[in-house]
Amino acid sequence: MKDSPIKEQVNLPNYRTRTPEYYLQQVEPNILASFNTEQLQVIINILTQAIPQPSPKIVDFRFNIDLIFSRFYLVLFVGKDRRKRNRQYIPERLARIGNAIAVVMLLLGANLVISGVILLFAYLLKSAVGIDFFPGHISDSVKEL
């Protein structure tokens, strides 16, 4: 009985750990034997340049969201831009405006979440210490005003 494709994929090394030698092993032996040393060295150099090298990230945030009918993932990387070339295209004005709006919305959302967490922590700390700024409940103080 032939192995299923899933079992074959399990035996593959992790994408990040693949080397030029791994890719050369995928070539048929009789074809690989037809290359001389100089040709093999050129192929290895090209493969070394083609394999992406990971750069260090300040933030590497990845998680999956499993729903009943589908699965989604979210990835957020923050790090220094080490690309040697600029973008091949210049984003249109509408795209730049949309990106700016998205950044502002993300910053405002993050600010609200952080502020809420700080206020909740301060309130819980105040309650744990037993400090009361208003006698009774705050709703009674608001009604008196």
Side-chain angles (χ1 to χ4, degrees):
M1 184 173 192
K2 189 175 179 181
D3 291 334
S4 69
I6 295 173
K7 288 184 181 178
E8 291 174 11
Q9 290 178 356
V10 172
N11 296 332
L12 292 177
N14 187 350
Y15 178 73
R16 293 180 180 160
T17 61
R18 293 183 186 172
T19 61
E21 288 75 21
Y22 165 79
Y23 291 105
L24 285 176
Q25 289 174 358
Q26 306 305 312
V27 178
E28 291 184 32
N30 59 348
I31 296 174
L32 194 57
S34 68
F35 294 130
N36 64 29
T37 309
E38 185 180 337
Q39 290 171 329
L40 277 175
Q41 190 58 45
V42 170
I43 292 172
I44 289 173
N45 290 341
I46 291 171
L47 287 173
T48 303
Q49 292 174 5
I51 296 173
Q53 301 296 320
S55 62
K57 314 279 189 297
I58 297 170
V59 175
D60 186 348
F61 183 67
R62 308 170 196 220
F63 71 92
N64 294 324
I65 302 169
D66 290 323
L67 302 175
I68 294 171
F69 56 88
S70 187
R71 183 176 183 178
F72 296 93
Y73 65 94
L74 177 70
V75 178
L76 174 67
F77 294 134
V78 177
K80 186 175 181 180
D81 188 5
R82 298 177 189 263
R83 294 179 288 189
K84 292 180 176 71
R85 291 187 274 158
N86 291 335
R87 289 185 175 187
Q88 302 258 339
Y89 67 95
I90 298 172
E92 295 180 13
R93 185 168 189 247
L94 186 61
R96 285 184 287 169
I97 292 171
N99 289 342
I101 290 171
V103 166
V104 168
M105 296 299 285
L106 283 171
L107 289 175
L108 285 175
N111 187 7
L112 286 173
V113 168
I114 291 170
S115 298
V117 168
I118 289 172
L119 287 174
L120 178 65
F121 179 74
Y123 176 76
L124 292 174
L125 184 66
K126 173 200 77 79
S127 298
V129 174
I131 300 172
D132 282 332
F133 292 118
F134 301 103
H137 291 287
I138 194 163
S139 60
D140 297 335
S141 301
V142 171
K143 287 179 185 176
E144 290 175 5
L145 293 175

